[in-house]
Every structure is written in C-alpha cells, then in structure tokens.
Amino acid sequence: GQQVMQIPQYQHVQEGEDFTTYCNSSTTLSNIQWYKQRPGGHPVFLIQLVKSGEVKKQKRLTFQFGEAKKNSSLHITATQTTDVGTYFCAGPRYGGSQGNLIFGKGTKLSVKP
Amino acid sequence: NAGVTQTPKFRVLKTGQSMTLLCAQDMNHEYMYWYRQDPGMGLRLIHYSVGEGTTAKGEVPDGYNVSRLKKQNFLLGLESAAPSQTSVYFCASSPGTHYGYTFGSGTRLTVV
C-alpha cells in the first residue's frame, strides 16, 4: 500500500546547528504538506508544496519538493530551542480524491541549549 | 475563533465501556477527520467525512463509528472499548482537498 517514510526518526542537535528531515513517498504526490507538533501539543500546519522542484522559505525553515514529486525535505538553519518538536510530512492518500492525508511517522527534533 | 474544539481532553475507560468523542469546528469546513496517534506509529486515519451526512472509513476503522449530522460536528464513538484503543485522538478539519488541516488539541484516552 501507499507509504510515506521519514528519516531520521530522531535528531539531537546543539542549538545553532542545522537540521534536515527527509520525506519519501512510495507514490507520486500532487502536493506535500509539513506539520509541526510541539511536545504535548497538536500538529500545526506549516506549509504546502505543489510544484515539482518547488522551494519555499519561512524564516529559518526551507522546504523543498523533489523533481519527481516523490520526496521532500525540511531544513532548519541555526536551530533554536523553540524548534523542538516532531515534524511530519503528509501527502494525499490515493491521489487526493477523498481529501485525506497519509502522514509520515515524523522526525523528533531535540535541541540542546 | 475557536478553530477545532475536542471534548473531553482526557478520559479513562474500563474495558467494554462505551464513549463518544466530540469534535466541533467553527470554520465552516467541509472535510473533517479523526486520527489516532500512537508512539512510533505516527498519525493514522480512523474515519473521515467530506460533508454533512457523509462518512467513510480510513486506515484503522475497526472498533469505531462516526457520525456527521451537522456540518460543524464530527463524533467518534467507541462501542466497547479495548486496551488497544488507548491512544491520543485528534480531530482535524479542512476546507477541501489539497488544503492544510486544522487540528484540535486532542483527547488522551486510556482504556484499562
């Protein structure tokens, strides 16, 4: 069945270091979304990428969508303690006809001050 | 705006008991979803609805039922709770396909 995989599962960084999480889909995606979940909180929508090769930035966060629309990455420059949380990617299930998403298992980021 | 509101926030059930989780959204979104989140398993879709009066099964629907009688509300029912249903349940809504979700704050359910 359709799968969305993320690596790494965990990442521990020193404050100020960069961080990257990768997302790979078993199928071509029409779009990919990224969410952040703080410890004890709920997922919060960050961004959606739609075009092949698309790159979007939000302050220190850079999101990329692969040329084949089967992979994506989130890069954080100079991490801060406020970046702590789990980052999830998600893509439309079965082409998106039903409007629901399949989520990766997430990358848990911890930042040491 | 409240966004997506889930009640209750915490609940402990005994095996075999039933309960209903309520999700309410005030954004006039057509689509609503119930996910469960378990350690190491990510978010898994239980049931979803693409409009008032409609529901559909997701990845892990067994043991759950849902109803969407009003556009703003999506109810998740457990008829006979089992310890395997111990989880954090998140409701979410979206305006339609290819839009980001707005999640509720979650319900932490323990079945003993």
Side-chain angles (χ1 to χ4, degrees):
Chain A
Q2 184 182 7
Q3 292 184 60
V4 174
M5 295 148 287
Q6 281 186 256
I7 55 170
Q9 189 175 0
Y10 302 96
Q11 186 78 55
H12 309 282
V13 301
Q14 193 78 32
E15 189 172 20
E17 292 181 338
D18 292 355
F19 159 76
T20 304
T21 174
Y22 299 92
C23 179
N24 293 288
S25 170
S26 60
T27 61
T28 301
L29 300 172
S30 57
N31 66 79
I32 195 155
Q33 298 180 10
W34 285 90
Y35 292 79
K36 176 184 178 181
Q37 184 177 23
R38 294 181 187 275
H42 58 276
V44 174
F45 174 71
L46 293 177
I47 204 161
Q48 178 175 265
L49 304 172
V50 178
K51 298 177 183 177
S52 170
E54 188 169 13
V55 178
K56 286 189 175 180
K57 293 190 176 184
Q58 289 181 349
K59 297 182 179 178
R60 296 177 293 104
L61 278 62
T62 301
F63 303 84
Q64 289 189 303
F65 200 9
E67 294 290 341
K69 302 184 78 173
K70 293 184 72 174
N71 57 73
S72 181
S73 65
L74 159 59
H75 179 82
I76 302 178
T77 303
T79 54
Q80 299 176 358
T81 55
T82 53
D83 296 324
V84 164
T86 301
Y87 293 85
F88 294 95
C89 63
R93 187 184 303 275
Y94 305 134
S97 60
Q98 294 298 313
N100 63 76
L101 298 174
I102 180 170
F103 284 80
K105 293 184 179 181
T107 296
K108 188 173 183 178
L109 172 65
S110 63
V111 179
K112 190 173 182 181
Chain B
N1 284 347
V4 177
T5 303
Q6 289 184 237
T7 53
K9 294 193 185 306
F10 303 93
R11 185 73 186 268
V12 178
L13 282 180
K14 293 183 179 179
T15 298
Q17 287 185 320
S18 63
M19 79 163 294
T20 300
L21 282 68
L22 173 64
C23 177
Q25 54 97 1
D26 62 1
M27 298 171 287
N28 201 35
H29 285 174
E30 287 293 334
Y31 289 48
M32 296 186 75
Y33 318 87
W34 278 105
Y35 283 84
R36 60 178 288 175
Q37 185 174 40
D38 304 291
M41 299 298 292
L43 290 154
R44 293 183 292 168
L45 182 66
I46 306 172
H47 286 281
Y48 64 100
S49 169
V50 299
E52 180 179 310
T54 74
T55 63
K57 294 180 179 180
E59 290 178 83
V60 289
D62 294 342
Y64 305 94
N65 56 75
V66 287
S67 65
R68 184 112 181 258
L69 298 179
K70 292 184 178 181
K71 185 176 183 178
Q72 62 267 34
N73 295 337
F74 195 29
L75 278 62
L76 177 70
L78 286 73
E79 290 186 348
S80 179
S84 61
Q85 294 177 304
T86 293
S87 188
V88 180
Y89 292 86
F90 287 104
C91 176
S93 70
S94 69
T97 58
H98 309 305
Y99 287 86
Y101 287 5
T102 301
F103 280 86
S105 57
T107 295
R108 187 173 294 275
L109 175 66
T110 303
V111 183
V112 297

